[in-house]
């Protein structure tokens, strides 16, 4: 595994993004005059895949596959681009339903709870260590979209609010209500309680980091 080569390749990709100002350019004003700002999500650039915790479908090594944020920021520095983080999260019960019942990424609920509880500890640490890079904490699967609706608009540089509202209303569908529905047996409730607790801690860590980044 040539990590250095992959890092250079990723840095080159970031440089390409930096040059592609026509992707999503907005103009800001600084002491040096108007400058062009490009906002591009690295999450799905070119390959259409998500940088998630974990990723890799049903592969055996999936539980060990999650982003190394340090190397991403190293590549950003090499490419001379300014990279920031947005934490996208979803309800723990919906995670279990998606990865155990629907897509069968995990063999059972117990394995899934243990995996995601552990990864939430990693996420919380990442958010605390790099609070100054946090731009948002968005629960796209939450029933109440007011926590992220305006934030997404501002991050992506929508200056015409009515156009943004029209676009989002045409593309966004509210999620279904989060329920247990017997998904987690009573015998696993102590583990599920820990999962829920770590989820809340990760969200709180992100919101605290967000305050740090704007202070």
């Amino acid at each position: 595994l040539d990590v250095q080569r992959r890092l250079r390749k990723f840095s080159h990709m970031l440089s390409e993004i930096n040059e592609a100002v026509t992707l999503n350019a907005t103009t800001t004003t600084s002491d040096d005059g108007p400058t062009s700002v490009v906002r591009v999500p690295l999450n799905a650039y070119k390959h259409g895949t998500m940088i998630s915790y974990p990723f890799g479908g049903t592969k055996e090594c999936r539980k060990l596959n999650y982003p190394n944020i340090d190397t991403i920021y190293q590549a950003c520095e090499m490419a001379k681009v300014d990279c920031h983080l947005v934490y996208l999260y979803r309800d723990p019960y919906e995670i279990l339903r998606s990865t155990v019942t629907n897509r069968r990424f995990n063999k059972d609920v117990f394995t899934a709870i243990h995996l995601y509880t552990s990864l939430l500890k990693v996420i919380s640490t990442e958010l605390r260590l790099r609070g100054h890079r946090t731009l948002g904490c968005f629960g796209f699967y939450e029933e109440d979209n007011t926590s992220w609706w305006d934030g997404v608009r501002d991050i992506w540089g929508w200056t015409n609010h009515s156009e943004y509202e029209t676009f989002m209303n045409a593309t966004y569908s509210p999620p279904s209500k989060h329920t247990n529905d017997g998904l987690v047996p009573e015998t696993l409730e102590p583990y599920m309680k820990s999962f829920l607790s770590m989820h809340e801690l990760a969200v709180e860590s992100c919101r605290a980091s967000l305050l740090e980044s704007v202070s």
Side-chain angles (χ1 to χ4, degrees), residues 113-127:
I113 290 176
H114 183 66
L115 171 63
Y116 298 123
T117 302
S118 299
L119 288 176
L120 282 169
K121 295 176 183 178
V122 174
I123 292 172
S124 295
T125 302
E126 295 283 6
L127 290 167

Side-chain angles (χ1 to χ4, degrees), residues 126-194:
E126 295 283 6
L127 290 167
R128 290 178 182 275
L129 289 175
R130 299 170 183 82
H132 63 288
R133 292 184 181 269
T134 304
L135 288 184
C137 321
F138 302 144
F140 285 146
Y141 294 89
E142 298 295 315
E143 295 177 65
D144 181 10
N145 63 28
T146 57
S147 64
W148 58 264
W149 191 272
D150 291 348
V152 170
R153 179 197 66 204
D154 296 339
I155 285 176
W156 294 110
W158 287 79
T159 56
N160 189 316
H161 291 191
S162 62
E163 285 186 2
Y164 174 77
E165 293 293 327
T166 299
F167 172 78
M168 291 296 287
N169 287 324
T171 56
Y172 173 72
S173 298
S176 57
K177 185 177 179 59
H178 309 311
T179 58
N180 184 356
D181 292 336
L183 180 66
V184 179
E186 185 177 350
T187 54
L188 294 181
E189 280 301 326
Y191 286 105
M192 190 63 200
K193 183 177 180 180
S194 177

Side-chain angles (χ1 to χ4, degrees), residues 74-89:
Q74 285 180 48
C76 293
E77 291 174 2
M78 291 169 62
K80 294 181 173 55
V81 296
D82 192 15
C83 292
H84 293 271
L85 179 147
V86 174
Y87 179 41
L88 307 180
Y89 60 87

Side-chain angles (χ1 to χ4, degrees), residues 17-28 34-41 154-160:
I17 295 174
N18 196 34
E19 294 173 0
V21 294
T22 57
L23 286 178
N24 185 20
T26 59
T27 300
T28 61
T35 59
S36 182
V37 178
V38 182
R39 297 181 174 93
V40 178
D154 296 339
I155 285 176
W156 294 110
W158 287 79
T159 56
N160 189 316

